[in-house]
mmCIF file of all heavy atoms in Angstrom:
data_model
loop_
_atom_site.group_PDB
_atom_site.id
_atom_site.type_symbol
_atom_site.label_atom_id
_atom_site.label_comp_id
_atom_site.label_asym_id
_atom_site.label_seq_id
_atom_site.Cartn_x
_atom_site.Cartn_y
_atom_site.Cartn_z
ATOM 1 N N ALA V 234 79.719 126.268 89.724
ATOM 2 C CA ALA V 234 78.390 126.494 90.584
ATOM 3 C C ALA V 234 77.299 126.326 89.710
ATOM 4 O O ALA V 234 76.260 125.580 90.061
ATOM 5 C CB ALA V 234 78.444 127.916 91.129
ATOM 6 N N LYS V 235 77.292 126.761 88.467
ATOM 7 C CA LYS V 235 76.121 126.560 87.592
ATOM 8 C C LYS V 235 75.946 125.150 87.136
ATOM 9 O O LYS V 235 74.777 124.650 87.120
ATOM 10 C CB LYS V 235 76.288 127.530 86.320
ATOM 11 C CG LYS V 235 76.085 128.989 86.543
ATOM 12 C CD LYS V 235 76.247 129.817 85.260
ATOM 13 C CE LYS V 235 75.940 131.294 85.458
ATOM 14 N NZ LYS V 235 76.148 132.025 84.238
ATOM 15 N N ALA V 236 77.081 124.595 86.833
ATOM 16 C CA ALA V 236 76.976 123.186 86.462
ATOM 17 C C ALA V 236 76.341 122.329 87.423
ATOM 18 O O ALA V 236 75.575 121.409 87.159
ATOM 19 C CB ALA V 236 78.413 122.630 86.018
ATOM 20 N N ILE V 237 76.728 122.523 88.721
ATOM 21 C CA ILE V 237 76.202 121.624 89.812
ATOM 22 C C ILE V 237 74.651 122.128 90.084
ATOM 23 O O ILE V 237 73.836 121.231 90.241
ATOM 24 C CB ILE V 237 76.951 121.891 91.072
ATOM 25 C CG1 ILE V 237 78.419 121.355 90.855
ATOM 26 C CG2 ILE V 237 76.348 121.116 92.228
ATOM 27 C CD1 ILE V 237 79.377 121.643 91.958
ATOM 28 N N ALA V 238 74.458 123.408 90.080
ATOM 29 C CA ALA V 238 73.124 123.990 90.395
ATOM 30 C C ALA V 238 72.052 123.484 89.429
ATOM 31 O O ALA V 238 70.982 123.229 89.776
ATOM 32 C CB ALA V 238 73.194 125.408 90.499
ATOM 33 N N PHE V 239 72.500 123.355 88.181
ATOM 34 C CA PHE V 239 71.513 123.016 87.141
ATOM 35 C C PHE V 239 71.441 121.463 86.724
ATOM 36 O O PHE V 239 70.760 121.077 85.909
ATOM 37 C CB PHE V 239 71.736 123.725 85.761
ATOM 38 C CG PHE V 239 71.319 125.232 85.873
ATOM 39 C CD1 PHE V 239 72.307 126.259 86.074
ATOM 40 C CD2 PHE V 239 69.944 125.633 85.893
ATOM 41 C CE1 PHE V 239 71.887 127.631 86.102
ATOM 42 C CE2 PHE V 239 69.622 126.890 85.923
ATOM 43 C CZ PHE V 239 70.468 127.937 86.126
ATOM 44 N N SER V 240 72.279 120.712 87.579
ATOM 45 C CA SER V 240 72.359 119.367 87.307
ATOM 46 C C SER V 240 71.034 118.601 87.675
ATOM 47 O O SER V 240 70.317 119.091 88.579
ATOM 48 C CB SER V 240 73.505 118.738 88.125
ATOM 49 O OG SER V 240 73.357 117.336 88.131
ATOM 50 N N ARG V 241 70.652 117.522 87.025
ATOM 51 C CA ARG V 241 69.488 116.870 87.300
ATOM 52 C C ARG V 241 69.787 115.640 88.082
ATOM 53 O O ARG V 241 68.969 114.779 88.299
ATOM 54 C CB ARG V 241 68.726 116.461 86.003
ATOM 55 C CG ARG V 241 68.180 117.660 85.188
ATOM 56 C CD ARG V 241 67.434 117.155 84.039
ATOM 57 N NE ARG V 241 66.803 118.327 83.247
ATOM 58 C CZ ARG V 241 65.997 118.207 82.303
ATOM 59 N NH1 ARG V 241 65.738 116.977 81.849
ATOM 60 N NH2 ARG V 241 65.518 119.209 81.683
ATOM 61 N N LYS V 242 71.024 115.533 88.690
ATOM 62 C CA LYS V 242 71.396 114.330 89.448
ATOM 63 C C LYS V 242 70.582 114.364 90.743
ATOM 64 O O LYS V 242 70.024 115.505 91.214
ATOM 65 C CB LYS V 242 72.821 114.378 89.780
ATOM 66 C CG LYS V 242 73.668 114.206 88.624
ATOM 67 C CD LYS V 242 75.183 114.144 88.910
ATOM 68 C CE LYS V 242 75.997 113.900 87.801
ATOM 69 N NZ LYS V 242 75.910 112.589 87.210
ATOM 70 N N SER V 243 70.348 113.283 91.382
ATOM 71 C CA SER V 243 69.572 113.209 92.643
ATOM 72 C C SER V 243 70.392 113.913 93.743
ATOM 73 O O SER V 243 71.529 114.237 93.644
ATOM 74 C CB SER V 243 69.473 111.682 93.115
ATOM 75 O OG SER V 243 70.720 111.066 93.323
ATOM 76 N N TYR V 244 69.708 114.101 94.906
ATOM 77 C CA TYR V 244 70.267 114.857 96.055
ATOM 78 C C TYR V 244 71.461 113.940 96.435
ATOM 79 O O TYR V 244 72.546 114.556 96.796
ATOM 80 C CB TYR V 244 69.310 114.854 97.114
ATOM 81 C CG TYR V 244 68.258 115.924 97.075
ATOM 82 C CD1 TYR V 244 66.897 115.642 96.751
ATOM 83 C CD2 TYR V 244 68.637 117.306 97.182
ATOM 84 C CE1 TYR V 244 65.967 116.619 96.749
ATOM 85 C CE2 TYR V 244 67.696 118.239 97.038
ATOM 86 C CZ TYR V 244 66.267 117.922 96.765
ATOM 87 O OH TYR V 244 65.430 118.950 96.727
ATOM 88 N N TRP V 245 71.335 112.633 96.513
ATOM 89 C CA TRP V 245 72.464 111.857 97.023
ATOM 90 C C TRP V 245 73.705 111.906 96.059
ATOM 91 O O TRP V 245 74.703 111.962 96.674
ATOM 92 C CB TRP V 245 71.954 110.336 97.064
ATOM 93 C CG TRP V 245 72.921 109.396 97.826
ATOM 94 C CD1 TRP V 245 73.685 108.421 97.198
ATOM 95 C CD2 TRP V 245 73.334 109.484 99.143
ATOM 96 N NE1 TRP V 245 74.364 107.859 98.129
ATOM 97 C CE2 TRP V 245 74.218 108.395 99.381
ATOM 98 C CE3 TRP V 245 72.929 110.249 100.177
ATOM 99 C CZ2 TRP V 245 74.772 108.108 100.508
ATOM 100 C CZ3 TRP V 245 73.474 109.945 101.380
ATOM 101 C CH2 TRP V 245 74.464 108.938 101.563
ATOM 102 N N ASN V 246 73.503 111.837 94.768
ATOM 103 C CA ASN V 246 74.645 111.944 93.893
ATOM 104 C C ASN V 246 75.219 113.394 93.825
ATOM 105 O O ASN V 246 76.489 113.497 93.728
ATOM 106 C CB ASN V 246 74.160 111.523 92.460
ATOM 107 C CG ASN V 246 73.859 110.076 92.295
ATOM 108 O OD1 ASN V 246 74.476 109.222 93.052
ATOM 109 N ND2 ASN V 246 73.074 109.716 91.341
ATOM 110 N N THR V 247 74.437 114.336 93.894
ATOM 111 C CA THR V 247 74.885 115.683 93.992
ATOM 112 C C THR V 247 75.735 115.942 95.266
ATOM 113 O O THR V 247 76.787 116.740 95.253
ATOM 114 C CB THR V 247 73.740 116.611 93.913
ATOM 115 O OG1 THR V 247 72.933 116.519 92.802
ATOM 116 C CG2 THR V 247 74.219 118.200 93.942
ATOM 117 N N SER V 248 75.405 115.360 96.303
ATOM 118 C CA SER V 248 76.104 115.436 97.503
ATOM 119 C C SER V 248 77.625 115.167 97.467
ATOM 120 O O SER V 248 78.490 115.680 98.203
ATOM 121 C CB SER V 248 75.477 114.704 98.704
ATOM 122 O OG SER V 248 75.669 113.280 98.486
ATOM 123 N N MET V 249 77.955 114.384 96.506
ATOM 124 C CA MET V 249 79.376 113.972 96.180
ATOM 125 C C MET V 249 80.178 115.237 95.705
ATOM 126 O O MET V 249 81.240 115.387 96.114
ATOM 127 C CB MET V 249 79.568 112.878 95.229
ATOM 128 C CG MET V 249 79.030 111.506 95.762
ATOM 129 S SD MET V 249 79.140 110.222 94.506
ATOM 130 C CE MET V 249 80.886 110.161 94.227
ATOM 131 N N PHE V 250 79.508 115.916 94.823
ATOM 132 C CA PHE V 250 80.101 117.032 94.170
ATOM 133 C C PHE V 250 80.235 118.278 95.176
ATOM 134 O O PHE V 250 81.266 118.950 95.291
ATOM 135 C CB PHE V 250 79.335 117.511 92.968
ATOM 136 C CG PHE V 250 79.424 116.394 91.929
ATOM 137 C CD1 PHE V 250 78.358 115.623 91.682
ATOM 138 C CD2 PHE V 250 80.552 116.230 91.131
ATOM 139 C CE1 PHE V 250 78.344 114.679 90.738
ATOM 140 C CE2 PHE V 250 80.582 115.185 90.119
ATOM 141 C CZ PHE V 250 79.429 114.353 89.953
ATOM 142 N N ILE V 251 79.085 118.544 95.889
ATOM 143 C CA ILE V 251 79.142 119.669 96.796
ATOM 144 C C ILE V 251 79.988 119.494 98.027
ATOM 145 O O ILE V 251 80.325 120.373 98.762
ATOM 146 C CB ILE V 251 77.708 119.998 97.220
ATOM 147 C CG1 ILE V 251 76.876 119.058 98.002
ATOM 148 C CG2 ILE V 251 76.838 120.531 96.036
ATOM 149 C CD1 ILE V 251 75.670 119.473 98.539
ATOM 150 N N GLY V 252 80.456 118.183 98.148
ATOM 151 C CA GLY V 252 81.312 117.908 99.264
ATOM 152 C C GLY V 252 82.646 118.554 99.078
ATOM 153 O O GLY V 252 83.326 118.787 100.118
ATOM 154 N N ILE V 253 82.977 118.962 97.901
ATOM 155 C CA ILE V 253 84.113 119.778 97.685
ATOM 156 C C ILE V 253 84.196 121.054 98.350
ATOM 157 O O ILE V 253 85.233 121.663 98.800
ATOM 158 C CB ILE V 253 84.404 119.945 96.193
ATOM 159 C CG1 ILE V 253 84.546 118.523 95.490
ATOM 160 C CG2 ILE V 253 85.744 120.748 95.882
ATOM 161 C CD1 ILE V 253 84.544 118.548 93.990
ATOM 162 N N TYR V 254 82.953 121.564 98.381
ATOM 163 C CA TYR V 254 82.737 123.039 98.930
ATOM 164 C C TYR V 254 82.129 122.941 100.443
ATOM 165 O O TYR V 254 82.558 123.760 101.256
ATOM 166 C CB TYR V 254 81.827 123.810 98.049
ATOM 167 C CG TYR V 254 82.340 123.716 96.619
ATOM 168 C CD1 TYR V 254 81.694 122.933 95.569
ATOM 169 C CD2 TYR V 254 83.503 124.441 96.201
ATOM 170 C CE1 TYR V 254 82.171 122.754 94.398
ATOM 171 C CE2 TYR V 254 83.971 124.305 94.920
ATOM 172 C CZ TYR V 254 83.336 123.475 93.948
ATOM 173 O OH TYR V 254 83.743 123.397 92.736
ATOM 174 N N ILE V 255 81.170 122.104 100.610
ATOM 175 C CA ILE V 255 80.643 121.943 102.013
ATOM 176 C C ILE V 255 81.556 120.904 102.684
ATOM 177 O O ILE V 255 81.214 119.677 102.753
ATOM 178 C CB ILE V 255 79.138 121.465 102.088
ATOM 179 C CG1 ILE V 255 78.278 122.450 101.270
ATOM 180 C CG2 ILE V 255 78.612 121.384 103.422
ATOM 181 C CD1 ILE V 255 76.861 122.132 101.131
ATOM 182 N N THR V 256 82.774 121.274 103.181
ATOM 183 C CA THR V 256 83.809 120.312 103.607
ATOM 184 C C THR V 256 83.336 119.761 105.000
ATOM 185 O O THR V 256 82.543 120.259 105.620
ATOM 186 C CB THR V 256 85.121 121.065 103.723
ATOM 187 O OG1 THR V 256 84.965 122.159 104.646
ATOM 188 C CG2 THR V 256 85.503 121.676 102.337
ATOM 189 N N ASN V 257 84.146 118.686 105.360
ATOM 190 C CA ASN V 257 83.973 118.148 106.696
ATOM 191 C C ASN V 257 84.260 119.284 107.740
ATOM 192 O O ASN V 257 83.686 119.335 108.761
ATOM 193 C CB ASN V 257 85.068 116.999 106.832
ATOM 194 C CG ASN V 257 84.740 115.854 106.096
ATOM 195 O OD1 ASN V 257 83.656 115.895 105.368
ATOM 196 N ND2 ASN V 257 85.597 114.864 106.064
ATOM 197 N N GLU V 258 85.246 120.047 107.480
ATOM 198 C CA GLU V 258 85.735 121.122 108.412
ATOM 199 C C GLU V 258 84.577 122.183 108.552
ATOM 200 O O GLU V 258 84.283 122.691 109.605
ATOM 201 C CB GLU V 258 86.869 121.871 107.938
ATOM 202 C CG GLU V 258 87.549 122.794 108.956
ATOM 203 C CD GLU V 258 87.949 122.139 110.252
ATOM 204 O OE1 GLU V 258 88.328 120.962 110.207
ATOM 205 O OE2 GLU V 258 87.849 122.805 111.324
ATOM 206 N N SER V 259 83.867 122.519 107.447
ATOM 207 C CA SER V 259 82.768 123.468 107.509
ATOM 208 C C SER V 259 81.613 122.907 108.296
ATOM 209 O O SER V 259 80.970 123.601 109.014
ATOM 210 C CB SER V 259 82.300 123.880 106.092
ATOM 211 O OG SER V 259 81.698 122.781 105.459
ATOM 212 N N LEU V 260 81.313 121.685 108.201
ATOM 213 C CA LEU V 260 80.245 121.028 108.925
ATOM 214 C C LEU V 260 80.593 121.050 110.438
ATOM 215 O O LEU V 260 79.692 121.200 111.289
ATOM 216 C CB LEU V 260 80.040 119.593 108.442
ATOM 217 C CG LEU V 260 79.366 119.558 107.042
ATOM 218 C CD1 LEU V 260 79.203 118.023 106.661
ATOM 219 C CD2 LEU V 260 78.060 120.310 107.019
ATOM 220 N N LYS V 261 81.901 120.809 110.714
ATOM 221 C CA LYS V 261 82.423 120.806 112.196
ATOM 222 C C LYS V 261 82.148 122.202 112.643
ATOM 223 O O LYS V 261 81.835 122.366 113.817
ATOM 224 C CB LYS V 261 83.922 120.441 112.138
ATOM 225 C CG LYS V 261 84.501 120.187 113.494
ATOM 226 C CD LYS V 261 85.909 119.767 113.389
ATOM 227 C CE LYS V 261 86.482 119.507 114.799
ATOM 228 N NZ LYS V 261 87.975 119.163 114.776
ATOM 229 N N LYS V 262 82.469 123.233 111.780
ATOM 230 C CA LYS V 262 82.280 124.635 112.381
ATOM 231 C C LYS V 262 80.840 124.931 112.676
ATOM 232 O O LYS V 262 80.485 125.715 113.500
ATOM 233 C CB LYS V 262 82.846 125.640 111.306
ATOM 234 C CG LYS V 262 84.401 125.609 111.367
ATOM 235 C CD LYS V 262 84.879 126.638 110.218
ATOM 236 C CE LYS V 262 86.408 126.669 110.257
ATOM 237 N NZ LYS V 262 86.912 127.600 109.223
ATOM 238 N N LYS V 263 79.905 124.192 111.940
ATOM 239 C CA LYS V 263 78.528 124.421 112.248
ATOM 240 C C LYS V 263 78.006 123.701 113.458
ATOM 241 O O LYS V 263 76.989 123.948 113.949
ATOM 242 C CB LYS V 263 77.625 123.872 111.052
ATOM 243 C CG LYS V 263 77.695 124.647 109.738
ATOM 244 C CD LYS V 263 76.857 124.123 108.691
ATOM 245 C CE LYS V 263 77.037 124.975 107.346
ATOM 246 N NZ LYS V 263 76.314 126.294 107.582
ATOM 247 N N GLY V 264 78.963 122.920 114.067
ATOM 248 C CA GLY V 264 78.658 122.177 115.273
ATOM 249 C C GLY V 264 78.454 120.712 115.325
ATOM 250 O O GLY V 264 78.323 120.142 116.331
ATOM 251 N N LEU V 265 78.513 120.189 114.029
ATOM 252 C CA LEU V 265 78.292 118.718 113.954
ATOM 253 C C LEU V 265 79.370 117.899 114.441
ATOM 254 O O LEU V 265 80.571 118.205 114.096
ATOM 255 C CB LEU V 265 77.976 118.363 112.448
ATOM 256 C CG LEU V 265 77.784 116.947 112.241
ATOM 257 C CD1 LEU V 265 76.393 116.453 112.659
ATOM 258 C CD2 LEU V 265 77.808 116.580 110.651
ATOM 259 N N VAL V 266 79.063 117.029 115.403
ATOM 260 C CA VAL V 266 80.073 116.135 115.983
ATOM 261 C C VAL V 266 80.190 114.984 115.074
ATOM 262 O O VAL V 266 79.306 114.254 114.727
ATOM 263 C CB VAL V 266 79.534 115.568 117.399
ATOM 264 C CG1 VAL V 266 80.517 114.538 117.945
ATOM 265 C CG2 VAL V 266 79.531 116.753 118.376
ATOM 266 N N SER V 267 81.514 114.632 114.761
ATOM 267 C CA SER V 267 81.835 113.517 113.905
ATOM 268 C C SER V 267 81.895 112.246 114.880
ATOM 269 O O SER V 267 82.573 112.285 115.775
ATOM 270 C CB SER V 267 83.158 113.687 113.274
ATOM 271 O OG SER V 267 83.747 112.466 112.787
ATOM 272 N N PRO V 268 81.055 111.242 114.503
ATOM 273 C CA PRO V 268 81.111 109.999 115.266
ATOM 274 C C PRO V 268 82.507 109.444 115.363
ATOM 275 O O PRO V 268 82.986 109.042 116.546
ATOM 276 C CB PRO V 268 80.255 109.033 114.592
ATOM 277 C CG PRO V 268 79.159 109.944 113.857
ATOM 278 C CD PRO V 268 80.026 111.189 113.501
ATOM 279 N N LEU V 269 83.321 109.452 114.344
ATOM 280 C CA LEU V 269 84.620 108.999 114.435
ATOM 281 C C LEU V 269 85.512 109.861 115.372
ATOM 282 O O LEU V 269 86.251 109.264 116.127
ATOM 283 C CB LEU V 269 85.306 109.042 112.961
ATOM 284 C CG LEU V 269 86.775 108.535 112.979
ATOM 285 C CD1 LEU V 269 86.894 107.128 113.348
ATOM 286 C CD2 LEU V 269 87.280 108.617 111.572
ATOM 287 N N ASP V 270 85.495 111.148 115.241
ATOM 288 C CA ASP V 270 86.321 111.958 116.057
ATOM 289 C C ASP V 270 86.012 111.831 117.549
ATOM 290 O O ASP V 270 86.799 111.704 118.426
ATOM 291 C CB ASP V 270 86.085 113.501 115.648
ATOM 292 C CG ASP V 270 86.793 113.764 114.312
ATOM 293 O OD1 ASP V 270 87.554 113.036 113.816
ATOM 294 O OD2 ASP V 270 86.453 114.912 113.759
ATOM 295 N N HIS V 271 84.577 111.725 117.737
ATOM 296 C CA HIS V 271 84.251 111.636 119.226
ATOM 297 C C HIS V 271 84.640 110.200 119.793
ATOM 298 O O HIS V 271 85.078 110.170 120.925
ATOM 299 C CB HIS V 271 82.753 111.778 119.348
ATOM 300 C CG HIS V 271 82.290 111.873 120.751
ATOM 301 N ND1 HIS V 271 82.614 112.846 121.653
ATOM 302 C CD2 HIS V 271 81.462 110.990 121.546
ATOM 303 C CE1 HIS V 271 82.060 112.618 122.803
ATOM 304 N NE2 HIS V 271 81.411 111.521 122.699
ATOM 305 N N TYR V 272 84.551 109.192 118.929
ATOM 306 C CA TYR V 272 85.035 107.928 119.293
ATOM 307 C C TYR V 272 86.524 107.843 119.720
ATOM 308 O O TYR V 272 86.924 107.376 120.651
ATOM 309 C CB TYR V 272 84.682 106.873 118.265
ATOM 310 C CG TYR V 272 85.342 105.532 118.545
ATOM 311 C CD1 TYR V 272 84.863 104.763 119.533
ATOM 312 C CD2 TYR V 272 86.352 105.111 117.661
ATOM 313 C CE1 TYR V 272 85.479 103.502 119.703
ATOM 314 C CE2 TYR V 272 87.058 103.805 117.967
ATOM 315 C CZ TYR V 272 86.565 103.087 118.938
ATOM 316 O OH TYR V 272 87.179 101.842 119.138
ATOM 317 N N LEU V 273 87.397 108.427 118.760
ATOM 318 C CA LEU V 273 88.774 108.418 118.930
ATOM 319 C C LEU V 273 89.169 109.257 120.176
ATOM 320 O O LEU V 273 90.140 108.987 120.856
ATOM 321 C CB LEU V 273 89.463 108.989 117.694
ATOM 322 C CG LEU V 273 89.344 108.153 116.441
ATOM 323 C CD1 LEU V 273 89.988 108.971 115.201
ATOM 324 C CD2 LEU V 273 90.006 106.760 116.632
ATOM 325 N N LYS V 274 88.262 110.354 120.493
ATOM 326 C CA LYS V 274 88.636 111.152 121.681
ATOM 327 C C LYS V 274 88.293 110.332 122.888
ATOM 328 O O LYS V 274 89.060 110.607 123.954
ATOM 329 C CB LYS V 274 87.750 112.362 121.480
ATOM 330 C CG LYS V 274 87.905 113.435 122.746
ATOM 331 C CD LYS V 274 86.992 114.589 122.509
ATOM 332 C CE LYS V 274 87.066 115.432 123.678
ATOM 333 N NZ LYS V 274 86.073 116.604 123.576
ATOM 334 N N ILE V 275 87.293 109.545 123.104
ATOM 335 C CA ILE V 275 86.918 108.967 124.331
ATOM 336 C C ILE V 275 87.100 107.540 124.371
ATOM 337 O O ILE V 275 86.910 106.911 125.554
ATOM 338 C CB ILE V 275 85.472 109.349 124.667
ATOM 339 C CG1 ILE V 275 84.439 108.492 123.732
ATOM 340 C CG2 ILE V 275 85.165 110.786 124.656
ATOM 341 C CD1 ILE V 275 83.138 108.369 124.192
ATOM 342 N N HIS V 276 87.564 106.839 123.301
ATOM 343 C CA HIS V 276 87.681 105.424 123.368
ATOM 344 C C HIS V 276 88.719 104.958 124.436
ATOM 345 O O HIS V 276 89.692 105.534 124.522
ATOM 346 C CB HIS V 276 88.196 104.956 121.950
ATOM 347 C CG HIS V 276 88.452 103.417 121.937
ATOM 348 N ND1 HIS V 276 87.569 102.455 122.340
ATOM 349 C CD2 HIS V 276 89.690 102.746 121.589
ATOM 350 C CE1 HIS V 276 88.163 101.308 122.207
ATOM 351 N NE2 HIS V 276 89.366 101.394 121.828
#
């Protein structure tokens, strides 16, 4: 957590690392609709 928090990397590059913790599933729980999931559901 400290290594990521104190990193000077850009937001975009940092997003690769925090993706380990802010997972696809956690974003789904927040209510975000995945374009791929919705497409596969209604195609």
Side-chain angles (χ1 to χ4, degrees):
K235 285 182 178 180
I237 298 171
F239 286 105
S240 170
R241 294 187 177 182
K242 294 183 181 294
S243 67
Y244 284 109
W245 188 249
N246 288 333
T247 304
S248 66
M249 293 179 60
F250 298 100
I251 64 174
I253 301 170
Y254 310 106
I255 306 175
T256 62
N257 295 353
E258 189 61 31
S259 68
L260 292 177
K261 186 176 180 180
K262 286 180 179 178
K263 289 181 181 294
L265 180 67
V266 171
S267 161
L269 176 62
D270 289 349
H271 189 63
Y272 169 69
L273 294 174
K274 180 181 176 181
I275 71 164
H276 175 51

